[in-house]
Amino acid sequence: MAGKPKLHYANGRGKMESIRWLLAAAGVEFEEEFVETKEDLEKLRKDGALLFQQVPMVEIDGMKMVQTRAILSYIAGKYNLYGKDLKERALIDMYVEGTTDLMGMIMQLPFQPPEAQEKNLALIIERAATRYFPVYEKVLKDHGQEFLVGSRFSWADVHLFEAILMAEECKPDILSSFPQLQAFKGRISNIPTVKKFLQPGSQRKPPADDKLIAKVKKIFNI
Amino acid sequence: MTGKPKLYYFDGRGKMESIRWLLAAAGIEFEEEFLETREQYEKLLQDGALLFQQVPMVEINGMKMVQTRAILSYIAAKYNLYGKDLKERALIDMYVEGTTDLMGMIITFDFTPPKQRNLALIIERATTRYFPVYEKALKQHGQEFLVGSQFSWADVQLLEAILMVEEREPTVLSKFPLLQAFKARMSNIPTIKKFLQPGSPRKPRPDDQYVATVMEVLKKD
């Protein structure tokens, strides 16, 4: 039955946030059902709704999709955010894997032992500044265009934007050596669908607080 | 200049092995350059050959591709192993992510200090989380291949995963008759049969020497 996509996840960013971003950027409205307790997760599992017993799960176009990357690729393909041919798709895939790695490090931080967190935060900032951001800065500088790939808004732009905002939450001036990325951030913020998602009251989730971390650890046995 | 794809990685499985499998299954010959020393790695870095300073890297069709999934998706699409439409691609992507997670556990296992290794968890996940899914998929449609009655990336990766787990626990497929039949069918596909023979580019199970080389080249503690 056609209708809005329905997202099943905890009431927080985690792996689902990139999916929320992409749907929002594509202008697609969606519903959410939050996993609040272990029982909620067990029910989904018992109902056979989770292919590999895991969330994220997104009900979309008659499918119960799982696996973050599979879901994102499907949305990108469906809403024309995946480039115009195989080579553009390859570039988008490479760029997105980079931002996925960076955001993955940030996502894991609250779940690491407190003693390791300071060191890991420093590593995140170092990686952002020396491994990831220089790549996207150079891409934009070399072709001089508005968007990362093929002169057209794509999944890669949405994902990079999300990563920039997350990295800035770790270190507010992290873009200080990256003028192209600063301009990119300004441009993407002004895209109407993105602008709307950035406003209070949207389905964008805040950074995890201690309460949410504790809840997630309990639900997922971390 | 077009030519065979060229793979840059250690002389071992790791993240490159799924790429070797897919190219081989597609009948594509490839070359390899093995990273044996820190100096080789630093040269690749200095030459700007590694987009995010990491391997795997594959030179293919004029691109220096990095990021395992990006490389695999490109190969799958280029050689018609990615289904016929968006929905089949979605299914293939989901199945492949599952086998990637399972094989990832095994890759990590060999780099985990012996005291912290947990083979039992891997076998439990294989037999209760992953293999039942593929057994059920084959049972429900009763066809030879996982998706769309056509050989795809999902089939190649599932075979690779089955063989990897069997190396650690030979009886792991005992409760999965359809996967046993699947394994036999896939093994007989000519390109795969060739890859399974001695002398192919398929790499053996990691040993201590391999682990030591990787740690040395990447300077990991």
Side-chain angles (χ1 to χ4, degrees), chain A residues 91 95 134-145 147-149, chain B residues 51:
Chain A
L91 268 178
Y95 294 157
V135 169
Y136 305 101
E137 178 81 4
K138 179 172 195 276
V139 166
L140 292 168
K141 186 166 190 194
D142 283 352
H143 63 44
Q145 286 162 13
F147 305 112
L148 282 171
V149 178
Chain B
L51 189 67

Side-chain angles (χ1 to χ4, degrees), chain B residues 108-122:
Chain B
T108 304
F109 181 86
D110 291 317
F111 286 84
T112 305
K115 285 200 180 117
Q116 292 161 32
R117 292 178 182 175
N118 190 351
L119 181 59
L121 178 63
I122 293 175

Side-chain angles (χ1 to χ4, degrees), chain A residues 37-168:
Chain A
T37 63
K38 240 192 251 234
E39 289 67 41
D40 290 342
L41 181 62
E42 282 315 307
K43 182 171 193 308
L44 281 171
R45 285 172 169 166
K46 265 197 236 159
D47 291 347
L50 307 178
L51 189 66
F52 299 113
Q53 318 303 326
Q54 298 164 314
V55 286
M57 188 272 277
V58 175
E59 293 178 270
I60 184 167
D61 296 340
M63 300 181 284
K64 288 183 165 57
M65 285 199 75
V66 296
Q67 294 288 351
T68 313
R69 269 184 198 78
I71 296 165
L72 288 165
S73 290
Y74 179 76
I75 295 166
K78 189 172 149 88
Y79 295 104
N80 291 314
L81 295 168
Y82 221 162
K84 71 178 194 300
D85 58 27
L86 203 52
K87 280 210 168 180
E88 285 193 355
R89 210 166 88 197
L91 268 178
I92 291 168
D93 277 341
M94 282 192 277
Y95 294 157
V96 154
E97 289 292 305
T99 39
T100 297
D101 284 350
L102 177 58
M103 288 196 278
M105 291 175 80
I106 299 174
M107 216 186 286
Q108 293 214 14
L109 197 57
F111 295 93
Q112 280 155 356
E115 324 78 76
Q117 282 190 26
E118 194 182 320
K119 186 174 129 213
N120 286 326
L121 178 60
L123 182 62
I124 287 168
I125 291 166
E126 190 207 318
R127 284 277 157 86
T130 62
R131 177 173 288 190
Y132 295 109
F133 288 162
V135 169
Y136 305 101
E137 178 81 4
K138 179 172 195 276
V139 166
L140 292 168
K141 186 166 190 194
D142 283 352
H143 63 44
Q145 286 162 13
E146 283 196 62
F147 305 112
L148 282 171
V149 178
S151 313
R152 207 160 60 133
F153 185 51
S154 78
W155 174 20
D157 300 302
V158 182
H159 219 244
L160 174 58
F161 184 71
E162 184 192 358
I164 285 171
L165 295 183
M166 274 185 89
E168 283 184 326

